[in-house]
Amino acid sequence: MTLPRVQILALGGTIATAPDASGAMQMGLGADDLVAAVPLLATLADIRAETVSRVGSHSLSFDQIHALAAKIMDLDVDGVVVTQGTDTLEETSFLLDLLVERDIPVIVTAAMRNPALTSPDGPGNLLAAVRVACDPWMKAHAKALGVVAVMLDEVYAAADVQKVHPTRFNAFASPQTGPLAALVEDRLVPLSLPVRAPVEAARKRLGKASEGREQPVALLWLGLDEPGYILEAMIDHRDQLGYRGVVLGAMGGGHVPERVASLVGQLGEIIPTVVAPRAGGGPLLRQTYGGPSSEIALRKAGLLWGGRLNPLKARVLLETCLRAGLDRAAIAEVFETFG
Ligand code: ASP
């Protein structure tokens, strides 16, 4: 029987750390080391392993993920597993989902517990990811599922997955939708299919993104009684600061403190500014509340509406839209399709 060809692409992260002389965990392991730690892999798939980088995911760049997406587009294999750090997995997997169009499973996995600890989760997550990559339901639905994350035997859609805890073992979830599938024994049990129309629609318009240059997008979280000094600085010193877009982590269904409402409106006039839910995701309101700091007023003032994407994913999408050279109207349309 020929085994499916699965390509492992290792970027770094806790899953690939090793202790230095002081006991501190440093980036060290490559793709071959990760594969060697899980002998069972060879019984499931014809594994090919490549070390792409050895960096913590907190230091990955948009450019690196664009290059990774291009590599994945060119691979002649039956499935791809990317291993990386957990810190930005929710952003990198979503960016890959926006960029990669393949009809094979593309999976991102990582580890919370490093290899020097008792019960590290890296080997189990890698094994689960390869199992998922070889699963018939995954193969049959690969296009419809897009890029997925596999952590602790659960499969999550890239557009929805979040790191919901900084340190605990079970740090990943899709709070809005739940997992797409779960591994039980050696079977993948499908639970749901993701809503993909917005990602597909976005991808069609983002075709040229990988040819574009970095487009820095600021992420501003709005808290109780925010006085707006950062907003003022962004309005007054826009050119010196160099940001090309802004994502606001806004309150509730799309609200900002009244004392900054007019600053937010001014910012939205001079730079593409997306309102996204600081509550972590879920569609925003469009037409319920009145008053100067409500969703109705902010939408009228020209703020772009983030829909169901959490602020981190909205930032990834805005950066990618700007790289692709989309104008404000086109960016607004891309975001509107996300609900
Ligand atoms: N800082 C690490 C990283 O994201 C944490 C991890 O892998 O869990 O690379």
Side-chain angles (χ1 to χ4, degrees), residues 180-205:
L180 303 175
L183 262 179
V184 180
E185 299 165 334
D186 57 359
R187 296 168 293 128
L188 186 68
V189 180
L191 300 170
S192 60
L193 285 172
V195 176
R196 297 276 302 155
V199 177
E200 299 295 345
R203 186 186 302 119
K204 284 205 181 80
R205 310 187 83 149

Side-chain angles (χ1 to χ4, degrees), residues 12-15 27 55-58 84-88 110-112 163:
T14 289
I15 193 168
M27 293 303 140
V55 293
S57 74
H58 43 274
Q84 65 158 90
T86 59
D87 289 351
T88 60
M112 286 299 294
K163 185 173 180 177

Side-chain angles (χ1 to χ4, degrees), residues 40-64:
L40 255 183
L41 290 178
T43 66
L44 299 176
D46 169 5
I47 299 283
R48 293 114 202 262
E50 181 182 340
T51 305
V52 177
S53 60
R54 294 174 199 257
V55 293
S57 74
H58 43 274
S59 299
L60 286 169
S61 67
F62 279 94
D63 285 347
Q64 281 170 301

